[in-house]
């Protein structure tokens, strides 16, 4: 039997095409980010160009002028941030289909590789979409107050959006669908003259429910973890706000799983897979982001180390060498602490790992023996079928 294997060149072309399309998709959230920041009045005429493009737009910034529609002093000043959160949701929803198509195009050999590639694509796009405005305010504008306002707006709006789209909206759609189904059944029964048992068994309604998927739940929690850790020094209360939002979403998910979705199937797994690696990346990145925020974008160190700060140097954008050295020392110290924690954490003993590996190997050998011992039966049509023993794996070959 000949097995067809795709060449490395063809696979590399598929990966290159997927990368190019993904990078092109990032242009849309980047462009709208500057539109939102102009509507909020965050970008000044002296702002630097990005990729050779001027990011300040006079007509859009006029909406944030005093007395205008999006005056920051009025309640309408929060509308651009809320609208930005809504656009982020729509872009993420649209990119989901693009990511699935690109992952299918890459033609991975195993389902695990396919799932990991899809996870990385969607995380990178949604992380860029959600964090790019915060990074621009934090490290380009260096305005912690505006960063805090933007963070609270995006975080709160996203939490409300999750509850509404995952529980309230599906409930309304489900009740509307059931009402239409009941009206159609009543009309059909009336046409039949009342004959026939129009009733259904109690379990038939569950088939009409949506299948539960936990992919988006994992992704939302990882993105939320990034909100909390990457900008912890700018908004320390983000963790408390996340705890409150997760408490509300806990009951929302409980209601969704109990009444709006089919009973989920939970296979036995040893961990959360690629999601754990993404959380680890966020933890490492948060060391750098918070160190830079504390040293350069805020005045948190000035009262503690006034001898290292010079107001004249800060006005012209220069930073004393002492602050830079302190930043590097703190960053390296935290990285070493993280590495030491990874090394010193207790792991399964060696005999446990060997026992588990031996059991897995023995199970694989037993499965192979059952496949080799399976009798071969020829059908009248010329097909060759391997009869599978009771309790063994295997299947049929043609």
């Amino acid at each position: 039997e000949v097995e067809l294997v795709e060449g490395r060149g063809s696979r590399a072309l598929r990966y290159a095409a997927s990368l190019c399309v993904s990078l092109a998709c990032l242009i849309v959230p980047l462009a709208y980010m500057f539109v939102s920041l102009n509507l909020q009045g965050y970008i000044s005429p002296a702002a630097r160009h990005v990729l050779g493009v001027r990011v300040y737009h006079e007509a859009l910034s006029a909406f944030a002028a005093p007395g205008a529609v999006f005056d920051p002093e009025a309640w309408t000043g929060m509308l651009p941030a809320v609208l930005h959160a809504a656009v982020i949701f729509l872009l993420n929803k649209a990119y989901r289909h693009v990511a699935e198509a690109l992952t299918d195009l890459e033609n991975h050999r195993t389902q695990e590789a396919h799932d990991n590639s899809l996870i990385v694509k969607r995380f990178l796009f949604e992380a860029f979409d959600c964090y790019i405005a915060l990074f621009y305010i934090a490290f380009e504008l260096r305005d912690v107050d505006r960063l805090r306002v933007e963070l609270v707006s995006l975080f709160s709006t996203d939490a409300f959006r999750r509850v509404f789209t995952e529980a309230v909206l599906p409930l309304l759609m489900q009740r509307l669908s059931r009402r239409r189904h009941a009206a159609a059944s009543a009309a059909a029964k009336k046409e039949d003259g009342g004959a026939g048992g129009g009733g259904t068994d109690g379990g038939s309604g569950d088939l009409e429910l949506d299948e539960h998927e936990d992919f988006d739940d994992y992704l939302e929690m990882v993105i939320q973890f990034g909100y909390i850790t990457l900008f912890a020094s700018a908004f320390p209360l983000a963790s408390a706000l996340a705890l409150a939002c997760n408490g509300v979403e806990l009951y929302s998910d409980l209601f969704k799983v109990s009444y709006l979705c089919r009973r989920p199937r939970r296979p036995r797994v040893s961990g959360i897979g690629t999601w754990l690696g993404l959380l680890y990346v966020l933890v490492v990145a948060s060391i750098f982001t918070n160190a830079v925020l504390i040293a350069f974008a805020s005045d948190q160190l000035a009262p503690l180390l006034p001898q290292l700060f010079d107001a004249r140097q800060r006005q012209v954008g220069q930073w004393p060498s002492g602050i830079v050295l302190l930043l590097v020392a703190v960053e390296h110290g935290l990285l070493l602490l993280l590495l030491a924690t990874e090394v010193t954490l207790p792991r399964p003993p060696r005999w446990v790992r060997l026992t588990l590996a031996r059991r897995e190997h023995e199970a694989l050998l037993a499965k192979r023996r059952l496949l080799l011992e399976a009798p071969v039966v020829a059908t009248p049509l010329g097909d060759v079928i391997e009869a599978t023993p009771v309790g063994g794996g295997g299947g049929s070959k043609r």
Side-chain angles (χ1 to χ4, degrees), residues 42-88:
Y42 287 175
I43 301 180
S44 64
R48 293 187 296 181
H49 292 193
V50 175
L51 300 177
V53 180
R54 188 185 183 188
V55 297
Y56 174 76
H57 197 280
E58 184 177 359
L60 294 177
S61 299
F63 288 97
V69 179
F70 301 133
D71 184 1
E73 301 297 332
W75 68 270
T76 55
M78 298 291 293
L79 292 181
V82 175
L83 183 61
H84 189 193
V87 171
I88 287 176

Side-chain angles (χ1 to χ4, degrees), residues 64-127:
V69 179
F70 301 133
D71 184 1
E73 301 297 332
W75 68 270
T76 55
M78 298 291 293
L79 292 181
V82 175
L83 183 61
H84 189 193
V87 171
I88 287 176
F89 168 70
L90 295 178
L91 291 176
N92 294 340
K93 187 176 181 180
Y95 182 75
R96 181 191 343 187
H97 304 288
V98 177
E100 292 175 352
L102 292 178
T103 308
D104 292 338
L105 175 66
E106 293 172 355
N107 191 24
H108 293 276
R109 293 183 178 180
T110 62
Q111 183 65 34
E112 182 180 1
H114 178 279
D115 295 340
N116 291 338
S117 178
L118 181 61
I119 290 173
V120 172
K121 284 187 184 63
R122 290 198 55 189
F123 169 76
L124 291 179
F125 182 86
E126 296 203 14

Side-chain angles (χ1 to χ4, degrees), residues 134-142 231 288-290 292-293 297:
L134 302 176
F135 273 96
Y136 185 84
I137 297 174
F139 304 116
E140 177 63 23
L141 303 181
R142 296 176 183 175
F231 311 98
F288 298 94
T289 57
N290 287 287
V292 175
L293 278 174

